[in-house]
Amino acid sequence: MAQVNWEFSETEISNVRRIIDEQENNPFVQKRRDQNVIEAEVSITADHFWNAHLAALLTSQQRSGPESHVSQFLKEEIQSVSLDQCRDVERIGEYVSGILEEHGGIRYYNNIGEACERNFERLDTDGWDELWGELEKLIEIRKRKPRDSDYAVEREVSTYLSEGFAGEGFHRVGSKQARNILQILGLTRFEIPLDSRITKWLNTNLDLPYHVSGSGLSNREYYHFISDIVQESCSTAGVLPCIFDAAVFSSYDTNWTQSNADAIF
């Protein structure tokens, strides 16, 4: 496959560094640095993965700032749809969608309930062992300082979640949701969830030869192409994409607290 080598102007790189500097003390950015950047022995349990998977589904198409309905649910009611709770009910889809509907303000709760049921069935049918084998690749990398080449392993595992798990990927988990899961678990530094905040920033602050299309991100190759632009600009600026992502995300909400950041992500 042909490779594109990107060159960025001093102004563009200054824009990348500026968003980091402006948000450096934001609790959300600090949380991301502690959770994803510092070398650590990361331990992931089934409960951790299930909750991260649910958070990715919930934040897929609606606001998840500190005072959003989604954030309130993740802070206050996530245990109501925990792995153990789901194991104790006969119809997981109906149970999860009912809890979400009752909470209020959650979009597509029926779709999320359906995804939880199908993904639970796949995980509990020999899926956990398969999943741990993939996540272990990232757990090993997190034990040391980041290297630019690590993106390849992160991309491989992300694609596994969206397309490879149980032969077809987790239900309703696309490129963005897969990276959201791994980032919440503290396993990634380079592959980030690309959303409207990121695309808006790119279109405003980088002099690209075309408009970055949010709808185009549903295509895996296009998603990887835009990810390459993000990673190249961050590498040139000397920052990690996961910190860039946190800085852009937090710039839209001025009321993040340490408690909110700890409870949600």
Side-chain angles (χ1 to χ4, degrees):
M1 181 180 296
Q3 298 292 317
V4 177
N5 294 318
W6 292 94
E7 294 185 6
F8 301 95
S9 68
E10 291 184 10
T11 299
E12 290 173 303
I13 295 308
S14 177
N15 289 341
V16 175
R17 291 174 178 148
R18 183 171 62 251
I19 189 68
I20 304 291
D21 292 341
E22 289 173 351
Q23 299 298 319
E24 184 176 11
N25 295 321
N26 188 294
F28 186 79
V29 176
Q30 293 177 339
K31 172 72 173 180
R32 178 67 54 75
R33 194 179 301 280
D34 291 342
Q35 183 169 291
N36 294 69
V37 178
I38 299 173
E39 306 97 289
E41 293 273 355
V42 180
S43 177
I44 307 296
T45 67
D47 287 327
H48 291 153
F49 182 85
W50 181 258
N51 287 351
H53 144 271
L54 183 58
L57 293 173
L58 284 165
T59 60
S60 180
Q61 299 189 45
Q62 52 196 326
R63 284 182 54 79
S64 55
E67 296 180 356
S68 66
H69 291 290
V70 166
S71 293
Q72 291 302 315
F73 182 84
L74 292 174
K75 286 192 295 183
E76 301 168 5
E77 298 188 50
I78 186 68
Q79 291 309 311
S80 66
V81 289
S82 68
L83 202 53
D84 286 341
Q85 290 281 24
C86 288
R87 285 195 172 112
D88 287 340
V89 300
E90 185 174 346
R91 293 186 175 88
I92 294 174
E94 292 181 10
Y95 173 73
V96 172
S97 62
I99 293 289
L100 297 177
E101 182 181 17
E102 183 178 352
H103 176 79
I106 305 291
R107 302 172 65 191
Y108 309 115
Y109 49 82
N110 285 327
N111 291 343
I112 296 171
E114 176 208 17
C116 285
E117 180 164 329
R118 292 182 62 174
N119 292 334
F120 177 88
E121 291 172 354
R122 294 174 184 178
L123 284 165
D124 267 24
T125 307
D126 301 322
W128 287 110
D129 288 342
E130 177 189 331
L131 174 66
W132 298 138
E134 291 294 321
L135 296 185
E136 187 62 34
K137 299 174 184 178
L138 299 180
I139 290 172
E140 283 299 311
I141 288 175
R142 285 288 285 106
K143 294 177 182 179
R144 57 167 172 74
K145 293 182 179 180
R147 303 169 186 166
D148 283 350
S149 59
D150 291 342
Y151 90 90
V153 181
E154 295 184 5
R155 187 167 293 184
E156 175 188 337
V157 178
S158 297
T159 303
Y160 161 79
L161 293 185
S162 61
E163 300 179 23
F165 173 72
E168 57 183 296
F170 282 90
H171 190 53
R172 297 194 183 278
V173 171
S175 296
K176 174 195 171 186
Q177 293 81 16
R179 287 156 176 80
N180 208 350
I181 292 171
L182 297 175
Q183 187 162 257
I184 290 171
L185 292 172
L187 294 177
T188 50
R189 292 149 162 171
F190 296 91
E191 289 289 307
I192 65 172
L194 301 175
D195 59 13
S196 59
R197 300 186 186 206
I198 297 292
T199 58
K200 181 179 179 180
W201 191 95
L202 294 175
N203 286 324
T204 303
N205 292 279
L206 297 186
D207 186 21
L208 300 174
Y210 41 72
H211 183 83
V212 179
S213 166
S215 61
L217 294 171
S218 60
N219 177 277
R220 180 183 65 177
E221 285 72 24
Y222 185 78
Y223 194 103
H224 291 174
F225 182 68
I226 301 303
S227 292
D228 289 344
I229 296 174
V230 172
Q231 291 171 14
E232 284 285 344
S233 62
C234 286
S235 178
T236 305
V239 301
L240 284 171
C242 69
I243 298 301
F244 166 76
D245 170 74
V248 173
F249 187 88
S250 63
S251 69
Y252 285 80
D253 299 292
T254 59
N255 48 356
W256 279 103
T257 65
Q258 193 65 53
S259 176
N260 282 336
D262 288 340
I264 298 172
F265 300 117

